[in-house]
Amino acid sequence: MTRRSGQAASGVVRRLCGGLLALLIAALLGLAALIVRLGQGPLPLPPLARALERAASAQLERGAAVEIGEAAIAWEGWHDGAAAPLDIRLSGLKLRDAEGNTRGELPEAAATLSVRALMRGALAFGTLELRRLRLTVVRTAEGEFDLALGPPPAGDAPPPAAASDGGGLRDALETLRALARPPSDDRAFAALRRIRVLGGEIRVADLALGRSWSLLDTRIDIRRADAGGLMADGAATISSGEFSAPVRLHGAATGQPMSITLGLSLPALRPAQLAAVWPGLGPVSALDSPVSLSAAADLDAWGRPERIEARVSAEAGRLRLGGNHHMPFAALSASAVTEGRGAPIRLLGARLALPASDAGPGAVLTGSGEAALRGGAWEAALDLRAETLPAAALDRAWPEGFEPELRRAVLGAMPSGTLEGAKLALSLRAPETLGDVELVEARAALEATNAVFSLGRGGTVAVAAADVSASFRPD
């Protein structure tokens, strides 16, 4: 290589390095200018809004489209020595159907883009925050459910028109089924790994019961697993009239076909407060004690309830038996399950601990049963069991004025002794409003140990052990 050719090559390298250095300096200056600008507030980018509209609308079916009022990029600086991610702020979002009608509105949202999708030249969201979300869930007079995005109706106004044809729920379930699949980077929403709901109101309007209640200040975090499926948990304040209380929320959407689980839990509340949340909780009004409640519902891929379970627990209090009679207890817990519309309600794992006395700890009653609404009245069958129940404990627990004939018969038949493995089957009836409970029939089977039995006319007999069965009908 000659000296002249070497000098030429060296000059090309110097010019190339100089150009790269100038490009790097320009990029750094541009980045610094962008940081300074973002420090003054979000930077609106109308072309970004239009690009995101096209990407989101392409994922919708039946000609629906997404409108974005404004898109801006924002940066919140440094936190604990680390740079905050670059956010895309969206406002004035609207969902329109093929006819141009508004199907839903969202005041504000924020998102981050998937880096892997950007490297492939595609716009796809990595995370999404829905801020000040307003959602209305409607239960029609026929018992069907639907929902709509947008401001809840004020007072007794009818629900939004978008919720009247089932389209809102159908669209939401289609989106949920797509998000329950494993993430990918080829579509606008397919890359989502996390969705957060911050603030806003979720209102439930029950037209069948003529009642409504709201979830306020909602905070929900939805996470998407690599293998598919969604897990969610959060908190809110449930409000109905003058009543309000904190509530914990959880949910999941998994499997193909998809199955959905929704759940909530409430702190210890007075039964009247629970009935204000939902009249179906009227049965807990029989408890004169603060009650904690948790409930979970399993839905199919079309949002139809398949199984609903509620669990109640209470500390020391009294059980209202009707006729102004009460039975004291030390603790109570039970679960109720129903499967499908019109199915009976099954009582599972019921446990009632009676108060302790000077003679020792109180007896524990366990039970199960089933109740169904027939002809405007509740009909129930309960099976109660007690491993060990002294006659004295039964005397203290059974109010004197409650079914006095049965009480006299039972306590008079065995003045003293201990019941082992006692079983009591009760048939009960109550009005639909769950007022006074009526005893239809009682059947008992038990083993008595170290017992004294009354033979009538003052006669008694003492036995070491005996099997006893009896039945009773008030009429």
Side-chain angles (χ1 to χ4, degrees), residues 162-184:
S164 61
D165 60 358
L169 180 61
R170 182 174 58 248
D171 293 341
L173 290 174
E174 286 180 359
T175 302
L176 196 60
R177 282 192 286 269
L179 292 175
R181 301 187 185 102
S184 65

Side-chain angles (χ1 to χ4, degrees), residues 26-40:
L28 292 175
L29 290 174
L31 180 60
L34 178 61
I35 292 175
V36 171
R37 172 60 184 83
L38 292 178
Q40 300 172 359

Side-chain angles (χ1 to χ4, degrees), residues 84-363:
L86 197 65
D87 288 340
I88 299 176
R89 306 274 179 90
L90 308 174
S91 60
L93 288 87
K94 294 184 179 181
L95 174 64
R96 297 190 183 276
D97 59 20
E99 289 73 33
N101 300 316
T102 300
R103 304 289 300 188
E105 299 180 41
L106 182 63
E108 185 181 353
T112 60
L113 296 178
S114 168
V115 176
R116 288 187 294 184
L118 285 175
M119 294 177 65
R120 298 174 55 184
L123 287 176
F125 296 116
T127 65
L128 183 62
E129 285 187 0
L130 308 179
R131 299 173 178 175
R132 297 188 290 126
L133 172 69
R134 292 174 291 183
L135 178 68
T136 301
V137 180
V138 179
R139 181 175 181 250
T140 67
E142 294 75 26
E144 301 294 334
F145 286 88
D146 202 1
L147 56 84
L149 285 170
D156 297 327
S164 61
D165 60 358
L169 180 61
R170 182 174 58 248
D171 293 341
L173 290 174
E174 286 180 359
T175 302
L176 196 60
R177 282 192 286 269
L179 292 175
R181 301 187 185 102
S184 65
D185 298 312
D186 57 348
R187 308 182 74 181
F189 295 106
L192 272 173
R193 299 299 181 117
R194 187 178 186 183
I195 303 173
R196 300 178 68 193
V197 178
L198 301 178
E201 176 182 0
I202 301 175
R203 181 178 179 186
V204 180
D206 195 324
L207 304 184
L209 297 175
R211 302 178 67 93
S212 65
W213 56 94
S214 299
L215 293 175
L216 305 175
D217 194 24
T218 308
R219 297 286 189 272
I220 301 175
D221 190 3
I222 305 172
R223 300 167 304 282
R224 195 175 183 192
D226 291 339
L230 299 169
M231 301 295 292
D233 61 76
T237 299
I238 189 168
S239 173
S240 179
E242 297 180 357
F243 165 78
S244 66
V247 59
R248 295 292 306 176
L249 308 170
H250 66 87
T254 57
Q256 297 293 334
M258 179 181 67
S259 61
I260 305 169
T261 299
L262 301 175
L264 60 83
S265 59
L266 288 164
L269 301 171
R270 304 302 302 184
Q273 294 175 306
L274 290 174
V277 177
W278 182 44
L281 297 175
V284 300
S285 62
L287 299 176
D288 185 9
S289 170
V291 177
S292 297
L293 170 72
S294 62
D298 295 332
L299 314 176
D300 64 15
W302 294 270
R304 296 175 301 205
E306 293 184 327
R307 186 176 188 271
I308 300 175
E309 179 176 0
R311 179 175 176 81
V312 297
S313 60
E315 299 299 329
R318 300 186 303 172
L319 180 64
R320 294 190 180 95
L321 300 176
N324 201 30
H325 300 298
H326 300 82
M327 182 175 71
F329 62 85
L332 179 146
S333 62
S335 296
V337 176
T338 184
E339 297 177 350
R341 182 179 300 177
I345 300 174
R346 293 181 292 118
L347 179 68
L348 306 174
R351 184 180 184 275
L352 178 67
L354 300 179
S357 67
D358 296 338

